[in-house]
Amino acid sequence: MPRARDVAREVAEQHDVCIRPIALQRLDTHTGHREIIDVPCGATLDAACPPCAKRNRQLRMAQCRGGWHLDHEPTITPDEPNDEQRWLIEFRADMQAKRDQTVQAGQDTTDLDAIITGLDEEINTAGIRGNVLAGAGGKRNRSTRRRQDAPDLPQRKMANTTLGRTFTSSDGKSYRPSLFVTLTLPSYGKIRDGVPLDPDTYDYVRAARDALHFSKPVDRFVQNLRRVAGYDVQYFATVEPQRRFAPHLHMAIRGTLPRAEIKQIAAATYHQVWWPPADRAVYEGDHLPVWDNGVGYLDPDTGEVLPTWDEALDHFDADESAQPLHVVRFGAQVDVKGVLAGTPDADQCIRYLSKYLTKSLGDWNPHNRAQRQHAERMLEALQLEPCSPTCANWLRYGIQPKGAKSGMVPGRCRGKAHKPDHLGYAGRRVLVSRKWSNKTLAEHKQDRRTWVLEALGQTDEPPDPHRYVWKPVPAGDANVPPLAVRLLRAVAERQRWRAHMALLQAQAQGQDHSATGEAA
Ligand SMILES: [Zn+2]
Ligand SMILES: [Zn+2]
């Protein structure tokens, strides 16, 4: 007999209902009424279940469409925080408190750190600008000689606009062309059927480092693009996996530039990783640094304290002959396509942009032996690469990781980047510039909600941002019904809506053949 929970999950999935809902307690400050409400997992944390991932993909497509061919400047005004943002911030504060307690108790904070990083990202996407604890860390000032030079590229005078140019044809019609660009990483060795022809010569270390730092050259590409284009170029981009497991980037760009210039910018863009050397192991096997409470990590033989992350960077900065640990560049293969607003071509690009958003970067076929081995080799290379300043792998290279704590073992960092689902790239899968459209993703969600409510003949309640107080519900809370019950309730609710929508649509079509509307 299948378990009720599994059946409920299957039914939920068939109806596009979230299968990992997060229970939240909502206090209505007007009535004093407390209620447990299920929030779809995809609305908060990054790790969405398949139905949420599908829904998020649809929202992303709407967001991409919304900004690509804008013909007026978007007005960007900070919004009142909404319920979701409020909840995220409160949750973030709870997690911070928990982390502080954990630190005091001398316990491992890796999991909490991962949650906090994820929450910070979510808070930013939810439309709140900046870091909640802005200024707490403080950025290092790197010596100026390390500043990455603006490459030798043409430079236009900056115009204060985010819009591309309009062209008028001889028959008076105006066109607003935009671009669809695909950037790939370079070759690490010949590939056939998605796997290296010769795994022994394939450059796994370079592939691993490029994947780890992939988001950085993307930022620089945009900076260079703006300088060359001479206006505040806006973009909507997705990071997707290639079969060889290298991340690549699809980017919808508002406005147009000559194809040759885009290629020139891609070729001139690079990012230097100014981290201490991590090529020769200082400690490995059983010969590892030892932790001393209140002191830090020591050399196992001499008892000497290893340099901290900051000391290592200071030392490295003072060394005139120091070289960057790694330099990331794009590959020669740059695809540039001109796209006109409202054409089937534009729609196809949008679908293509979001095609693999629901797939993880390391999605391989376990039955394909060559592919499995390729993934294993990639993971092996990633296992010893430092993924961030806090990575335990720095111990292998004789440096105490930033925020060092007891129990760190090189090769056993729990950062996302080392995991099979990520294969080096732990950054965001969707990158959207601030002035892409008038709306944040949260606002796009709100739009859909309002539209459905209007179609149902209900008005969305006027948003009183102070009405509700949200609180996370601890696991195992007796007021939360079993998951199967919650899933089936959500399915029933969804079916009720769908039936109602279908009825409304039928009525509307009966009255007016030109009635249009987005399918719910
Ligand atoms: Zn979900
Ligand atoms: Zn790591």
Side-chain angles (χ1 to χ4, degrees):
M1 285 288 281
R3 293 195 315 158
R5 188 189 248 229
D6 296 336
V7 175
R9 182 176 298 142
E10 208 167 296
V11 172
E13 222 167 318
Q14 275 165 11
H15 287 84
D16 294 332
V17 165
C18 175
I19 58 167
R20 286 200 294 270
I22 299 167
L24 294 179
Q25 190 197 73
R26 191 179 75 171
L27 168 68
D28 185 335
T29 54
H30 291 190
T31 62
H33 182 63
R34 276 172 211 275
E35 200 179 351
I36 300 232
I37 296 211
D38 272 334
V39 178
C41 73
T44 52
L45 295 172
D46 223 8
C49 71
C52 284
K54 189 172 155 194
R55 178 158 287 229
N56 282 347
R57 180 184 171 226
Q58 285 167 354
L59 283 166
R60 288 302 193 179
M61 286 169 77
Q63 190 188 21
C64 181
R65 202 171 288 123
W68 205 354
H69 302 96
L70 278 193
D71 54 4
H72 54 277
E73 292 294 345
T75 46
I76 308 289
T77 43
D79 317 299
E80 279 276 295
N82 58 25
D83 282 346
E84 183 194 340
Q85 295 166 337
R86 203 174 286 280
W87 173 74
L88 280 167
I89 288 186
E90 282 171 8
F91 191 33
R92 171 72 171 78
D94 286 353
M95 288 298 122
Q96 185 67 39
K98 218 170 208 176
R99 188 189 185 279
D100 295 344
Q101 287 165 9
T102 313
V103 170
Q104 280 200 333
Q107 287 160 347
D108 182 57
T109 58
T110 314
D111 288 339
L112 284 167
D113 287 340
I115 292 174
I116 287 173
T117 309
L119 280 168
D120 277 344
E121 283 172 10
E122 285 314 311
I123 287 167
N124 284 328
T125 11
I128 304 169
R129 318 271 175 233
N131 189 302
V132 189
L133 300 178
K139 276 220 157 99
R140 282 179 71 83
N141 281 323
R142 184 149 294 144
S143 61
T144 43
R145 106 196 124 82
R146 299 263 167 83
R147 197 159 290 155
Q148 313 207 4
D149 292 333
D152 196 12
L153 285 169
Q155 206 170 327
R156 294 196 176 89
K157 203 171 161 285
M158 259 318 206
N160 186 22
T161 176
T162 72
L163 305 179
R165 279 184 302 165
T166 311
F167 298 91
T168 309
S169 69
S170 52
D171 59 356
K173 244 177 144 182
S174 64
Y175 295 92
R176 193 170 284 283
S178 288
L179 290 175
F180 183 69
V181 174
T182 301
L183 296 171
T184 1
L185 284 168
S187 166
Y188 310 114
K190 261 209 161 69
I191 292 280
R192 186 184 288 162
D193 297 328
V195 296
L197 211 54
D198 179 7
D200 294 332
T201 58
Y202 191 80
D203 196 343
Y204 280 101
V205 170
R206 185 150 179 234
R209 289 181 179 172
D210 277 1
L212 283 167
H213 301 283
F214 185 65
S215 63
K216 297 290 176 25
V218 173
D219 285 348
R220 298 202 64 81
F221 175 78
V222 171
Q223 287 166 22
N224 291 334
L225 182 69
R226 286 181 175 152
R227 213 171 281 140
V228 173
Y231 70 98
D232 191 7
V233 180
Q234 302 297 308
Y235 62 93
F236 178 103
T238 56
V239 177
E240 304 210 323
Q242 281 182 301
R243 267 179 88 199
R244 59 173 181 152
F245 301 139
H248 72 163
L249 186 88
H250 296 305
M251 187 179 247
I253 294 171
R254 186 151 81 227
T256 190
L257 251 81
R259 222 166 279 228
E261 276 185 3
I262 297 279
K263 293 194 176 189
Q264 205 186 339
I265 298 165
T269 298
Y270 63 92
H271 170 74
Q272 297 173 326
V273 182
W274 286 102
W275 279 357
D279 287 305
R280 221 167 324 120
V282 181
Y283 303 102
E284 55 188 333
D286 293 334
H287 187 242
L288 294 175
V290 289
W291 173 257
D292 186 357
N293 267 331
V295 182
Y297 280 96
L298 318 175
D299 180 286
D301 306 324
T302 65
E304 210 178 317
V305 185
L306 300 186
T308 62
W309 174 252
D310 278 328
E311 285 165 355
L313 279 195
D314 286 343
H315 180 79
F316 183 62
D317 276 350
D319 179 0
E320 289 290 326
S321 65
Q323 294 294 312
L325 172 65
H326 186 60
V327 180
V328 196
R329 288 179 186 281
F330 294 114
Q333 200 196 325
V334 179
D335 203 61
V336 188
K337 197 171 137 100
V339 180
L340 283 174
T343 57
D345 225 21
D347 270 348
Q348 201 194 356
C349 286
I350 291 169
R351 274 197 301 276
Y352 194 67
L353 258 163
S354 57
K355 193 170 168 194
Y356 296 109
L357 276 188
T358 54
K359 269 193 161 186
S360 77
L361 258 76
D363 209 352
W364 70 82
N365 175 1
H367 304 297
N368 181 332
R369 195 160 153 263
Q371 216 185 14
R372 199 188 64 224
Q373 286 172 339
H374 178 41
E376 282 164 1
R377 286 196 173 94
M378 184 77 181
L379 280 170
E380 213 178 280
L382 281 162
Q383 200 191 353
L384 299 174
E385 280 299 325
C387 68
S388 68
T390 57
C391 186
N393 288 348
W394 284 112
L395 289 175
R396 177 179 163 87
Y397 306 104
I399 293 164
Q400 298 198 54
K402 194 176 172 188
K405 52 195 178 236
S406 89
M408 295 180 109
V409 181
R412 289 208 214 133
C413 168
R414 283 201 268 163
K416 261 206 263 182
H418 303 284
K419 299 206 160 132
D421 271 0
H422 293 272
L423 288 180
Y425 183 76
R428 299 201 68 82
R429 295 288 298 277
V430 180
L431 313 164
V432 192
S433 63
R434 218 166 65 78
K435 297 174 191 163
W436 175 252
S437 66
N438 279 317
K439 290 170 184 153
T440 63
L441 192 60
E443 287 169 313
H444 278 288
K445 277 186 197 167
Q446 187 60 30
D447 268 8
R448 269 183 98 80
R449 196 177 119 84
T450 307
W451 180 80
V452 173
L453 286 170
E454 269 168 18
L456 285 170
Q458 300 173 3
T459 46
D460 210 351
E461 16 181 310
D464 172 357
H466 306 294
R467 177 156 185 181
Y468 298 112
V469 178
W470 296 85
K471 250 182 139 167
V473 178
D477 186 297
N479 295 313
V480 182
L483 184 63
V485 174
R486 293 156 68 201
L487 293 185
L488 293 177
R489 254 187 220 162
V491 168
E493 182 81 350
R494 181 66 54 89
Q495 272 174 320
R496 203 174 59 78
W497 270 34
R498 281 220 173 115
H500 201 110
M501 290 304 302
L503 185 73
L504 285 174
Q505 226 158 24
Q507 283 171 354
Q509 267 160 13
Q511 288 159 3
D512 177 7
H513 283 281
S514 69
T516 52
E518 209 182 340

